[in-house]
Structures are given as structure tokens and as C-alpha cells.
């Protein structure tokens, strides 16, 4: 029997990531939690998709990688993981993971950031003008989340990184990722008043000054103390539309991807504050529905035709595409995407897992997903 088919059937019948210890909330390499991210794939799922369906030294691509869970897991298992995303936040965090900088490089950037903040924050603090973004925010306005000096340091730190964004190094991405992580949350590591680590709900509690550089430094130090990199291979992070990958890549062994689930939450609204830190302005949120696939697929799954054409172009002969999808009462993503794939791929197998009782992690709206689906395809 076809090994790909045999492995796919085994995977669906056993769902190995549901067994102990893989089913634990915190299972996986610590760098999977480099920055909180709403909509992140469970690392255990990525782990078994990589270990079951790919080989050491393979090139693995995720064209819609989010914060790089799948390509990072590939790198950890001795593959070359490549992650692409249109979101600046996703690109920054995946770059830090996939292009792992040395601690010395990161400490150099931390020193430069500290000097920049110290040189520029007092002018902003002493200005008689209203602070920027006083009227910006979706669950309360930005200044409501932070003590005044902390807010000024955040604004200065944001300016520092946005000035370097077009040539961002992996060390800068690592520091920026830590900045993104500590921006808001419900524990002492967070710069904000008490909120939520995934989605910045309106804050509560007292205003308290917190040094931006100190909190970033603490996160960096903690990150570099943890994690096994013995079999890690450097990967690559790409910022852009997946349609551009045909001209950038070739000879990919497998594409493993978890596209935005149909009829689910809009990631850019749930991650609004961190996207703001990455340079988003009010107009970017207004344009996001026509830019990102989350909303476009609700109108027509035909948007995936170009996705499968790109996959076909970059894959080696007989290359695999494995998709982790979301089914709702209204949408059967596996069925819809298998139709779009017909000109380029043969369906090998599909299966599903009921997740109607999935853990919500304190999030009020997790969307209407009832099942997680796995669609296994092979290049024609």
C-alpha cells in the first residue's frame, strides 16, 4: 500500500498528539511560546505532522505560517523550515524562531534599544501636546492600558523598530518578538494593566510604571535559558503574499499549512494591539478584510485556486500538501479545498477530529469550529 496513504490513515486513526505527554497545554519547545498569538496551531500537532510525513534534511514550507509553529518544528527536527506570512507580527516572530540569533547578537540590540529609549523618552514625557494614539484602540484606548512613562517608552520603542523594519535582522526580530509578548497580559511580565495575554480586553487595576527594556530583557533571558537545539537547522522567514513564493522558491519537499479556519475569528482584530506595535494604523485595520484570506474565503473558496497553483509550482515531483482545516456547521473546508486542488493535486486521504469542546483559554469568542480536518494531497 502507498506509504503516504498508510501514514495518513494511521495519523487520523490515532491522533497521536492527543496522547500524554503531547496533550499537555504547555507541551513543546519553549520557543513555541516566544510570543502569545491568537490562533496558533498546537505544537504537538505540528510535531507529528513533521515527524510522520517528512524526512530529515527535507525542505518544509508553510505559506500561511502565523508565528511559525510548523516551520519551527521542522527546524527542530533537522529539516529546513520556511515560513511565509503577510502579517508583520507573524513575520517578526517566525523570523526570530527560524533564523535563531546568538544571545550576544541579541544583547547588542538590547543595548542599542536602551540607549535610544533613554535618549528620546523624556522629550515625549515633557511635551505639552497630547500623546500619539490617544483615540486609537478597539477594547479601550491605548493610553488606558499603560502608566504614562511606560506608554511613552512603548511609543519610542515602536519608532525604533519601525525605522529598521525593512532590513530587520534575526537579532532585532528576537528583541521585537519579546517586546510584542510583554506588551499586554494578566501577569507581572506584562507592561499593561491587567488584561489578557492573547487578546487585549479592556484593562483593569492600578497604573504602575514598568520599564520596557527591563521587561523585554527578562523575557529574552528566560527564553535563552530554555530549549533543546541539538538537532535544530536554520530556516527562513518571508514576509509577503503567498502568490509571490513561486518566484522565490523551488524544490520544496512538503507543504504543511493551517489556513485561517472558515467562519472563525479575524486574527487581526484579536491581535490588534500587537499589530499596532508592528506599524498598523487605523486604515490598515479597515483594509484588512480585502487583503487577508480570512474574510475573502467566506465569499468564495475559489481564492485557494492561486494557493494550490503556487504549491504546485514550488513542490518537487510527487510533493505533498497537508492542510489542517476547520469545519463548521456552515462550511466544510476539506471538501471545498479539495475541489480547488483538483487541477494540481490528487487527494490521498482526509479525516477529522471533533473539537466542539475545545479549551477556550479565557477567550470569549473562539468562533464556530466544530471539527479539525486534515487533508492529504499529492502533486500530480
Amino acid at each position: 500500500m502507498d506509504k503516504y496513504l498508510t501514514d495518513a490513515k494511521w495519523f487520523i486513526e490515532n491522533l497521536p498528539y492527543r496522547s500524554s505527554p503531547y496533550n499537555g497545554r504547555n507541551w513543546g519547545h519553549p520557543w513555541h511560546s516566544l510570543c502569545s498569538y491568537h490562533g496558533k496551531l498546537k505544537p504537538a500537532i505540528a510535531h507529528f505532522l513533521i515527524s510522520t510525513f517528512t524526512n530529515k534534511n527535507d525542505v518544509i514550507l508553510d505559506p500561511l505560517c502565523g508565528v511559525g509553529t510548523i516551520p519551527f518544528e521542522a527546524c527542530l527536527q533537522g529539516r529546513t523550515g520556511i515560513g511565509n506570512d503577510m502579517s508583520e507580527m507573524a513575520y517578526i516572530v517566525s523570523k526570530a524562531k527560524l533564523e535563531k540569533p546568538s544571545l550576544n547578537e541579541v544583547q547588542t540590540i538590547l543595548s542599542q534599544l536602551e540607549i535610544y529609549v533613554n535618549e528620546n523618552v523624556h522629550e515625549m514625557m515633557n511635551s505639552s501636546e497630547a500623546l500619539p494614539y490617544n483615540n486609537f484602540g478597539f477594547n479601550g484606548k491605548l493610553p488606558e492600558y499603560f502608566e504614562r512613562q511606560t506608554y511613552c517608552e512603548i511609543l519610542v520603542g515602536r519608532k525604533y523598530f519601525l525605522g529598521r523594519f525593512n532590513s530587520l535582522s534575526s537579532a532585532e526580530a528576537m528583541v521585537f518578538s519579546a517586546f510584542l509578548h510583554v506588551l499586554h497580559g494578566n501577569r507581572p511580565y506584562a507592561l499593561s494593566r491587567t488584561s489578557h495575554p492573547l487578546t487585549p480586553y479592556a484593562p483593569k487595576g492600578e497604573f504602575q510604571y514598568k520599564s520596557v527594556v527591563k521587561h523585554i530583557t527578562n523575557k529574552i533571558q528566560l527564553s535563552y535559558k530554555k530549549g533543546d537545539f541539538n538537532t535544530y537547522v536554520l530556516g527562513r522567514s518571508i514576509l509577503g503574499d503567498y502568490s509571490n513564493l513561486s518566484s522565490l522558491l523551488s524544490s520544496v519537499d512538503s507543504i504543511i499549512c493551517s489556513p485561517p479556519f472558515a467562519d472563525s475569528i479575524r486574527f487581526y482584530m484579536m491581535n490588534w494591539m500587537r499589530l499596532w506595535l508592528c506599524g498598523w494604523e487605523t486604515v490598515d485595520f479597515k483594509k484588512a478584510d480585502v487583503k487577508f484570506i480570512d474574510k475573502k474565503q467566506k465569499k468564495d473558496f475559489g481564492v485557494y485556486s492561486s494557493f494550490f497553483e503556487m504549491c504546485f509550482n514550488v513542490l518537487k515531483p510527487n510533493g505533498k500538501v497537508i492542510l489542517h482545516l476547520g469545519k463548521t456547521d456552515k462550511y466544510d473546508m476539506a471538501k471545498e479545498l479539495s475541489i480547488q486542488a483538483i487541477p494540481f493535486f490528487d487527494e490521498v486521504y482526509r479525516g477529522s477530529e471533533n473539537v466542539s469542546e475545545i479549551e477556550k483559554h479565557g477567550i470569549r469568542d473562539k468562533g464556530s469550529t466544530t471539527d479539525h480536518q486534515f487533508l492529504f494531497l499529492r502533486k500530480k
Side-chain angles (χ1 to χ4, degrees):
M1 184 181 289
D2 183 333
K3 184 178 186 304
Y4 187 15
L5 175 59
T6 301
D7 290 343
K9 287 183 175 180
W10 174 87
F11 184 88
I12 295 301
E13 289 170 3
N14 291 277
L15 298 175
Y17 53 86
R18 298 186 68 170
S19 300
S20 180
Y22 305 100
N23 60 350
R25 176 190 285 191
N26 296 318
W27 182 88
H29 194 284
W31 280 28
H32 278 302
S33 301
L34 194 60
C35 178
S36 304
Y37 187 75
H38 193 87
K40 182 178 73 175
L41 179 71
K42 287 184 177 180
I45 297 177
H47 172 83
F48 279 103
L49 289 175
I50 296 296
S51 63
T52 305
F53 298 101
T54 72
N55 300 307
K56 190 175 180 180
N57 299 321
D58 278 359
V59 177
I60 314 300
L61 169 67
D62 185 346
L64 301 164
C65 74
V67 289
T69 302
I70 290 171
F72 179 58
E73 193 61 39
C75 291
L76 290 172
Q77 297 187 40
R79 286 76 165 158
T80 299
I82 302 175
N84 175 84
D85 207 284
M86 290 182 70
S87 160
E88 292 85 352
M89 176 188 172
Y91 166 70
I92 290 161
V93 179
S94 62
K95 187 177 183 71
K97 294 178 181 178
L98 304 182
E99 302 175 21
K100 179 178 177 286
S102 70
L103 181 55
N104 285 339
E105 292 173 311
V106 172
Q107 288 173 333
T108 297
I109 301 302
L110 281 169
S111 296
Q112 294 173 1
L113 174 62
E114 184 172 27
I115 292 170
Y116 186 86
V117 169
N118 289 339
E119 288 179 345
N120 291 278
V121 71
H122 296 294
E123 180 181 353
M124 182 175 292
M125 280 283 295
N126 297 328
S127 174
S128 59
E129 298 180 5
L131 292 174
Y133 302 102
N134 260 349
N135 294 312
F136 174 79
F138 295 96
N139 299 319
K141 306 305 180 184
L142 269 174
E144 296 172 8
Y145 284 80
F146 309 100
E147 184 270 343
R148 179 179 170 84
Q149 183 172 342
T150 299
Y151 183 53
C152 289
E153 291 182 11
I154 290 170
L155 290 168
V156 173
R158 179 179 187 261
K159 184 177 180 181
Y160 172 87
F161 281 107
L162 296 188
R164 294 167 168 238
F165 196 87
N166 291 333
S167 58
L168 201 71
S169 70
S170 60
E172 290 165 339
M174 177 60 71
V175 177
F176 202 169
S177 296
F179 192 2
L180 289 163
H181 179 74
V182 303
L183 186 61
H184 60 78
N186 55 5
R187 296 180 183 177
Y189 72 79
L191 297 170
S192 69
R193 298 164 63 205
T194 302
S195 182
H196 193 282
L198 293 179
T199 297
Y201 293 134
K204 301 176 182 178
E206 298 296 321
F207 286 92
Q208 179 184 355
Y209 169 69
K210 295 184 178 181
S211 164
V212 168
V213 174
K214 180 179 178 180
H215 280 64
I216 293 174
T217 301
N218 290 343
K219 170 63 176 176
I220 292 292
Q221 290 175 342
L222 186 63
S223 297
Y224 274 84
K225 287 180 180 178
K226 298 180 178 181
D228 181 0
F229 288 91
N230 287 334
T231 57
Y232 176 89
V233 173
L234 282 174
R236 179 183 176 189
S237 180
I238 301 171
L239 174 65
D241 192 305
Y242 62 73
S243 62
N244 297 325
L245 295 176
S246 295
S247 61
L248 298 175
L249 302 173
S250 62
S251 299
V252 171
D253 292 285
S254 298
I255 291 174
I256 303 178
C257 182
S258 183
F261 289 177
D263 205 26
S264 190
I265 52 102
R266 292 180 294 174
F267 89 94
Y268 39 89
M269 293 307 300
M270 303 302 276
N271 294 303
W272 68 266
M273 191 183 294
R274 291 186 171 119
L275 287 170
W276 165 81
L277 193 66
C278 294
W280 280 42
E281 304 288 348
T282 303
V283 66
D284 295 299
F285 289 92
K286 292 179 179 179
K287 293 180 178 179
D289 280 349
V290 298
K291 180 180 179 182
F292 289 89
I293 202 168
D294 308 47
K295 188 76 171 182
K296 291 192 290 185
Q297 69 183 2
K298 289 186 178 182
K299 297 180 179 179
D300 182 9
F301 281 101
V303 298
Y304 282 97
S305 177
S306 62
F307 174 85
F308 287 116
E309 182 177 8
M310 176 278 299
C311 293
F312 182 88
N313 290 336
V314 304
L315 279 169
K316 292 179 180 177
N318 299 312
K320 304 183 186 78
V321 172
I322 303 173
L323 300 177
H324 174 254
L325 307 167
K327 181 182 179 182
T328 69
D329 292 336
K330 187 176 180 180
Y331 300 103
D332 185 331
M333 280 193 79
K335 177 181 178 181
E336 296 292 345
L337 267 62
S338 67
I339 294 171
Q340 299 301 324
I342 287 174
F344 308 101
F345 294 91
D346 294 316
E347 180 175 333
V348 174
Y349 197 67
R350 75 172 84 166
S352 63
E353 168 195 13
N354 185 280
V355 294
S356 56
E357 301 300 321
I358 193 169
E359 189 175 17
K360 294 182 179 294
H361 300 291
I363 298 297
R364 300 165 192 168
D365 179 15
K366 290 289 285 186
S368 55
T369 302
T370 60
D371 294 83
H372 286 177
Q373 301 173 304
F374 295 90
L375 180 62
F376 302 90
L377 306 171
R378 179 188 283 119
K379 182 176 177 177
K380 287 186 175 181

